[in-house]
Amino acid sequence: MTISVLKSSLFCATVGILALSACAQTNNPTSNNPDQYLSQYHWNLQSAVNKSNQTMPVFYAGQAQPKVTLNFQEGRYNLRGTCNGMMGSYTTSNNAFTGGPLASTNMACPQSMMQQDGSLAQFFSDQKVAYQIKQQTSPTLTFTNAKGEKLVFVGTPTADTRYGSKPETIFLAVSHQTRACSDGVSRDRQCLQVKEVRYSEDGLKIHEDKDWSNFYSNIEGYEHKADTDTVLRVKRYTVKNPPADASKYAYVLDMMVSQALVK
């Protein structure tokens, strides 16, 4: 058996989210702590139009629906388009959003994707734009720049918002192999094989369970591959009032620490 390491990026900076409940009303961004409200959602770009309300194709990167996600945490914002990820600082005041310079990953992608990256950077990086939040069942966040161009984002609750609890961060090694689950409820399906891993503050592995064990829950955001061993950083939430046959925990992928292709 040959194992080749594909990537390893332990303890990379990721976007954490504050857990607060949302109100079903239209909000004036100058009140009710809008920064905290922003951090409750993953914001997905719904539309991009110019001052004449015409679609701006550059933000769509050849897709019928633009694939751009915006996240916030404690004065920092993270943009992810169809190619690169970008991150920078921001401030809000009097209905205005001021984005600081954006740092970006440097992946090479098709031209339409690179143009989308450039347009997003041009819109937000070192720019002051008006913004409006509408707090409703599907909240919207609208940015309008000096040219009258508008980017409209729709919010989906973060895991912190959905579960309403502060998560515990754990690391799990996940085998490329699965096994039949042994409990009565899950006997007819395959279980992931996992080991808990622990690291020191400086990123050195200090413990790994000796044996693989069945994992009876799902890890939101993780897709198992039958030819790849992985180490995951996972947020574990305590679920309030879980069903009698369900786990009291919910697991959400926070970061892929490493992957190893098994041949």
Side-chain angles (χ1 to χ4, degrees):
M1 182 184 299
T2 303
I3 298 178
S4 59
V5 176
L6 300 181
K7 65 178 180 180
S8 180
S9 55
L10 182 61
F11 294 118
C12 292
T14 56
V15 178
I17 308 295
L18 299 175
L20 298 169
S21 60
C23 301
Q25 60 183 2
T26 300
N27 177 51
N28 179 346
T30 61
S31 63
N32 299 333
N33 204 340
D35 291 343
Q36 289 186 341
Y37 186 82
L38 290 173
S39 68
Q40 293 177 43
Y41 294 88
H42 302 299
W43 298 95
N44 303 294
L45 185 60
Q46 181 185 55
S47 64
V49 297
N50 61 21
K51 66 179 181 180
S52 301
N53 206 36
Q54 298 172 321
T55 296
M56 294 187 291
V58 70
F59 287 96
Y60 288 69
Q63 304 291 321
Q65 184 66 33
K67 295 182 179 179
V68 177
T69 302
L70 177 60
N71 290 290
F72 300 90
Q73 183 198 21
E74 298 177 351
R76 298 193 66 80
Y77 69 115
N78 180 291
L79 274 165
R80 165 63 67 177
T82 50
C83 183
N84 285 287
M86 294 171 276
M87 178 178 285
S89 61
Y90 77 94
T91 58
T92 58
S93 178
N94 298 324
N95 297 7
F97 175 96
T98 303
L102 283 166
S104 175
T105 56
N106 293 304
M107 294 174 57
C109 299
Q111 184 178 9
S112 62
M113 298 181 183
M114 300 297 288
Q115 289 176 337
Q116 181 192 58
D117 283 353
S119 297
L120 288 167
Q122 186 177 21
F123 193 98
F124 287 103
S125 186
D126 276 328
Q127 298 296 319
K128 185 174 182 178
V129 297
Y131 82 111
Q132 180 185 32
I133 301 171
K134 289 186 179 179
Q135 297 182 24
Q136 48 198 12
T137 303
S138 296
T140 60
L141 172 61
T142 302
F143 295 96
T144 307
N145 65 12
K147 299 178 182 178
E149 298 170 337
K150 291 185 179 181
L151 302 184
V152 180
F153 292 80
V154 174
T156 58
T158 66
D160 285 18
T161 302
R162 285 187 283 116
Y163 295 113
S165 63
K166 291 185 178 181
E168 176 186 6
T169 298
I170 63 174
F171 292 84
L172 294 176
V174 182
S175 173
H176 67 286
Q177 295 180 319
T178 60
R179 293 180 184 172
C181 300
S182 58
D183 71 323
V185 176
S186 307
R187 188 174 298 166
D188 295 333
R189 69 180 181 88
Q190 294 290 304
C191 273
L192 296 177
Q193 299 301 295
V194 304
K195 295 180 182 180
E196 186 170 355
V197 183
R198 292 195 292 271
Y199 296 92
S200 65
E201 291 184 0
D202 55 1
L204 299 176
K205 188 192 313 186
I206 57 177
H207 171 81
E208 181 174 333
D209 289 349
K210 181 179 179 181
D211 299 318
W212 296 103
S213 60
N214 283 352
F215 187 78
Y216 295 101
S217 299
N218 296 315
I219 302 174
E220 182 180 327
Y222 169 68
E223 182 178 353
H224 181 262
K225 296 182 179 179
D227 62 354
T228 306
D229 288 336
T230 60
V231 176
L232 310 177
R233 189 170 74 186
V234 175
K235 290 184 176 182
R236 182 169 67 186
Y237 295 85
T238 300
V239 178
K240 298 178 181 178
N241 303 316
D245 58 350
S247 171
K248 68 176 182 179
Y249 295 117
Y251 298 84
V252 178
L253 177 63
D254 187 32
M255 187 182 75
M256 189 83 69
V257 175
S258 67
Q259 297 183 90
L261 183 63
V262 180
K263 297 181 179 180

